[in-house]
Amino acid sequence: MSADRETALAALYSDFAALNMEGGWHRRFPALWAEPRRNFLPHVWHYADVKPILERAGELVDTQQAERRNLTMFNPVEGNIYSTVRTIVAAYQMIKPGETARAHRHTPNALRLILEGHGTSTVVDGKQVEMRPGDVLLTPNWAWHSHSNDGAEQCYWMDFLDVPLVHLLEPMFYEPHPDGVEQAVELLDQAPIAFRWEDTLAQFEAEQARLGADVPLTIELGPAQLDTIALHMLRINAGQTSAPAQTTANAIFAVVRGSGFAEIDGARHAWSFGDTIAVPAWRAHSFHAEQDAVLLRVSDESVLRKLGWLRSRRP
Ligand code: GTQ
Ligand code: FE2
């Protein structure tokens, strides 16, 4: 290359920078790549570690100070301080007898998986539903919601929200309820936002009968009420291993029952009741149960499908 041309190019590149422009052929980092990068890391958070921390928080922080007594699980990838996987955050929450977590609403979609405790209920847009272990309860975009413990036991659950996706796209709105809690509420046992544990078990029975064999089962908690989050329950009995999967969807698994280990990109991760397992996009994964297990899969599959970006392959 001639010295003149080299000088002219250097001048061109410095003009790019001065005007906040860059040449597609001159990037320091590529903008396109052949297949999904594995950015976020596979990781497991153990409920046995979380629960004592929540107990200590329960002694120090009340629901006046903390609108929600929740602990978020952030992925250990460099630079991240919030998200569990790229689009979804998982948290554990605990509420003590007599406490109320005030009503509010926000554009992020949310759901809860109840782990332990009886006598607590959530109110979603005026509908009060009891929270029982194994239930999955939804709080769609902009629905008012509060939680109250009228029982005698501490109640523990997991929250999942698409907050990181809302951060990315920017449509965040939040407001506290003007009255603290919703005034007129109707107590319901069955509601479209409530997927009851007994119903999940019945669906597993029906699916097993349909397949006519004791094999790993996957059912969808539907019809879907959340625009961004897909919900599946997996039943993997002791000794079984789920079919290896690899997908563009980002997923978080929560252990509803049983124990075993996950194999994610060739590494083993042990799990048991109440654990959170981050399985980011394009990570090959399978689950092996040592004791009869049920896992909740919370994923952004709904978003990827709607946008034409859902792809899977057998790893
Ligand atoms: O229970 O409403 O873990 O709004 C994070 C944000 C729980 C909730 C979380 C929330 C909630
Ligand atoms: Fe909320």
Side-chain angles (χ1 to χ4, degrees):
M1 196 183 330
S2 76
D4 279 359
R5 184 152 167 270
E6 213 159 322
T7 310
L9 263 180
L12 179 68
Y13 293 153
S14 85
D15 284 356
F16 284 174
L19 293 168
N20 290 294
M21 300 174 182
E22 186 52 288
W25 70 93
H26 183 245
R27 297 188 193 292
R28 290 193 300 141
F29 303 102
L32 308 174
W33 42 90
E35 61 173 73
R37 285 182 166 174
R38 293 168 176 86
N39 292 307
F40 277 64
L41 301 170
H43 193 80
V44 179
W45 291 262
H46 297 289
Y47 182 53
D49 295 328
V50 174
K51 192 172 169 179
I53 303 266
L54 267 182
E55 305 277 3
R56 282 160 61 195
E59 278 157 27
L60 297 168
V61 183
D62 64 19
T63 49
Q64 265 318 106
Q65 183 190 344
E67 187 166 345
R68 298 293 186 262
R69 186 185 291 109
N70 60 342
L71 271 178
T72 49
M73 305 296 112
F74 65 88
N75 192 283
V77 64
E78 177 78 37
N80 176 57
I81 56 166
Y82 182 72
S83 312
T84 310
V85 292
R86 177 69 79 186
T87 49
I88 307 173
V89 67
Y92 290 85
Q93 186 167 168
M94 189 270 277
I95 182 167
K96 298 199 288 183
E99 287 185 331
T100 292
R102 298 186 289 287
H104 65 206
R105 63 180 175 180
H106 39 68
T107 45
N109 293 276
L111 64 115
R112 320 182 195 288
L113 167 67
I114 316 312
L115 296 176
E116 296 186 274
H118 295 85
T120 293
S121 54
T122 186
V123 177
V124 179
D125 271 345
K127 312 274 190 279
Q128 179 178 351
V129 291
E130 197 186 339
M131 304 165 91
R132 298 189 289 257
D135 291 351
V136 173
L137 306 170
L138 311 183
T139 307
N141 173 359
W142 213 233
W144 291 113
H145 54 286
S146 61
H147 322 300
S148 299
N149 187 338
D150 304 311
E153 300 172 3
Q154 303 198 132
C155 186
Y156 299 81
W157 67 81
M158 296 180 64
D159 297 305
F160 303 87
L161 298 96
D162 59 9
V163 170
L165 180 63
V166 176
H167 286 168
L168 181 73
L169 300 177
E170 305 280 2
M172 181 67 79
F173 293 90
Y174 162 89
E175 67 183 24
H177 194 282
D179 306 326
V181 288
E182 289 187 84
Q183 295 304 324
V185 304
E186 179 190 5
L187 182 64
L188 295 176
D189 196 62
Q190 298 300 320
I193 57 122
F195 296 102
R196 297 296 190 187
W197 176 240
E198 314 80 79
D199 298 339
T200 296
L201 291 180
Q203 276 202 65
F204 281 140
E205 287 311 312
E207 183 65 359
Q208 158 140 9
R210 194 180 69 82
L211 295 174
D214 183 7
V215 292
L217 306 175
T218 301
I219 58 171
E220 182 166 10
L221 299 183
Q225 311 272 328
L226 304 178
D227 291 320
T228 56
I229 299 176
L231 297 170
H232 294 86
M233 285 280 195
L234 282 63
R235 191 191 79 179
I236 309 167
N237 282 338
Q240 297 175 343
T241 305
S242 64
Q246 183 177 14
T247 160
T248 51
N250 297 281
I252 303 172
F253 292 79
V255 184
V256 190
R257 288 291 180 271
S259 64
F261 55 83
E263 190 157 319
I264 314 175
D265 273 352
R268 274 192 179 202
H269 305 261
W271 46 263
S272 58
F273 173 66
D275 292 358
T276 299
I277 307 158
V279 182
W282 219 235
R283 299 276 186 176
H285 61 282
S286 65
F287 290 89
H288 177 81
E290 292 172 325
Q291 295 172 301
D292 288 356
V294 176
L295 301 172
L296 171 66
R297 176 176 184 261
V298 179
S299 79
D300 61 9
E301 193 175 292
S302 316
V303 175
L304 289 153
R305 180 176 287 108
K306 279 172 215 166
L307 300 182
W309 291 326
L310 186 62
R311 293 199 193 193
S312 307
R313 76 171 179 214
R314 246 340 181 54

